[in-house]
Amino acid sequence: MSQETSSHMDPTESWHSFTEWSDKSVGLTWKITRMIESVTTPYQRIDLFDTVGDGKLLVHDNAVMLSERFESQYHDALVHSAMLACPNPRRVLIIGGGDGGTLREVLRHSEVEVACQVEIDAEVVRIAKDHLPTMAIAYDDPRADLIIGDGMKFVGDAEPASWDVILIDSTDPIGPAAPLFEEPFYNDIKAALTDDGVMATQVACPTFYADYFITLVKRLETIFSMVRPYTSPVQMYPSGVWGFAVASKGQDLVQIDEKRAALIEESTTNWTRETHKASFAMPNWLRRRLG
Ligand code: AG3
């Protein structure tokens, strides 16, 4: 998972480029008109760019977190299937996701009484509040409870069976977020979930980072009794297809409440009952490797 910045000035037009490299030979390049902010925090370097056509682009340590144009593809995919697999998601915990996009999607669900967001890096929230209003607006909802702190510790200290849904909206499984993809954290999540609770996490790109995708799904399977990997088109990330997994202590992850799903479909940008069903389909080579 190598990322590096390649920035050059085009001689004929006034834009630079930023490339996130997916592997040795393939990258995704953005036309950048200006750098809005670049800050180095104790956790990461955060760059916020403006692009020629895709709105603002948020980059952490050279990995794209979101573009304003495509962010809903990722946030819809992470949130709605897990929320709808859980019969009554009253208490929802989000680890990471300081931009507010995941929180915004969670709050579409009228069952939610508390959506607690634990983000380690206050600067991510500050940048979202200053520059990414379509996501940061979620913080104005009275059900939102923002905590700046260590999500791992928060989950470790949580009361047993105290959360209906736990969503992990983290950076990639290499670098500072690596512990959020390991057994001790997954065990703590399991303990913190109610009996019919559901967790969802991103598990990297199923093609460029297939080894990560497969390892993470298999790791989840050693801990949770039900695990379903799924994928979704996310054009702003390497390959344009991103991997996710939902997991539970037994709660069915594929059958979702039709009535609630129909309601959610009225307001989402991408998620539908059809995309939900399709998201579990895996290409044959990947199905074989998943076993
Ligand atoms: N969460 C990070 C998804 C992984 C992106 N990886 C990459 N570009 N290599 C994004 C935060 C959005 N709320």
Side-chain angles (χ1 to χ4, degrees):
M1 222 172 277
S2 84
Q3 285 113 17
E4 55 186 72
T5 316
S6 119
S7 179
H8 68 269
M9 189 70 182
D10 182 284
T12 56
E13 292 180 86
S14 57
W15 49 266
H16 295 257
S17 69
F18 166 79
T19 299
E20 176 176 351
W21 292 101
S22 306
D23 68 359
K24 289 193 192 76
S25 49
V26 182
L28 183 59
T29 298
W30 305 75
K31 286 185 184 176
I32 303 298
T33 52
R34 73 191 168 107
M35 173 175 272
I36 300 168
E37 287 212 26
S38 179
V39 292
T40 301
T41 76
Y43 307 101
Q44 56 209 337
R45 195 181 88 223
I46 309 176
D47 298 316
L48 185 71
F49 300 111
D50 218 344
T51 67
V52 168
D54 285 6
K56 289 170 197 130
L57 181 73
L58 180 68
V59 178
H60 293 186
D61 290 338
N62 290 327
V64 168
M65 293 295 111
L66 60 88
S67 75
E68 285 184 300
R69 183 174 176 205
F70 293 128
E71 51 88 8
S72 68
Q73 295 179 337
Y74 170 86
H75 293 126
D76 277 21
L78 179 66
V79 171
H80 297 303
S81 292
M83 290 294 289
L84 291 161
C86 178
N88 193 10
R90 289 179 300 120
R91 289 174 51 77
V92 180
L93 176 63
I94 303 164
I95 303 300
D99 50 80
T102 293
L103 181 64
R104 178 194 63 206
E105 295 307 316
V106 164
L107 294 169
R108 286 189 201 285
H109 295 256
S110 57
E111 299 78 17
V112 174
E113 291 167 8
V114 178
C116 176
Q117 162 108 43
V118 186
E119 165 63 57
I120 201 163
D121 194 340
E123 272 299 273
V124 181
V125 177
R126 199 270 304 155
I127 286 176
K129 287 186 173 171
D130 284 353
H131 303 285
L132 302 167
T134 56
M135 283 158 266
I137 190 169
Y139 290 116
D140 296 343
D141 191 299
R143 296 170 294 167
D145 177 19
L146 170 66
I147 295 172
I148 300 297
D150 180 345
M152 272 196 49
K153 189 173 176 327
F154 189 90
V155 175
D157 293 344
E159 289 287 308
S162 56
W163 296 97
D164 298 309
V165 174
I166 301 181
L167 303 168
I168 306 159
D169 182 8
S170 71
T171 51
D172 289 335
I174 45 151
L180 298 181
F181 295 86
E182 284 162 12
E183 279 93 351
F185 183 57
Y186 288 156
N187 275 317
D188 287 347
I189 287 190
K190 185 179 173 189
L193 275 179
T194 52
D195 285 347
D196 53 11
V198 177
M199 72 86 88
T201 180
Q202 68 109 340
V203 289
C205 171
T207 50
F208 285 123
Y209 315 138
D211 290 345
Y212 281 102
F213 180 93
I214 293 158
T215 305
L216 294 171
V217 172
K218 290 192 170 166
R219 188 173 294 162
L220 285 166
E221 283 170 351
T222 64
I223 292 160
F224 292 91
S225 29
M226 300 279 251
V227 178
R228 292 299 299 249
Y230 62 103
T231 64
S232 183
V234 180
Q235 282 163 270
M236 60 198 185
Y237 295 161
S239 89
V241 176
W242 207 248
F244 301 86
V246 270
S248 73
K249 302 187 197 180
Q251 179 62 27
D252 194 297
L253 299 166
V254 178
Q255 297 309 317
I256 50 173
D257 183 321
E258 281 289 315
K259 263 204 199 131
R260 283 173 54 212
L263 266 177
I264 285 299
E265 231 176 86
E266 284 175 19
S267 70
T268 52
T269 308
N270 305 282
W271 191 96
T272 68
R273 282 162 285 174
E274 288 292 296
T275 64
H276 170 75
K277 273 191 217 126
S279 69
F280 296 111
M282 294 287 146
N284 218 5
W285 65 269
L286 189 52
R287 210 169 56 154
R288 283 191 203 105
R289 285 193 59 190
L290 287 164

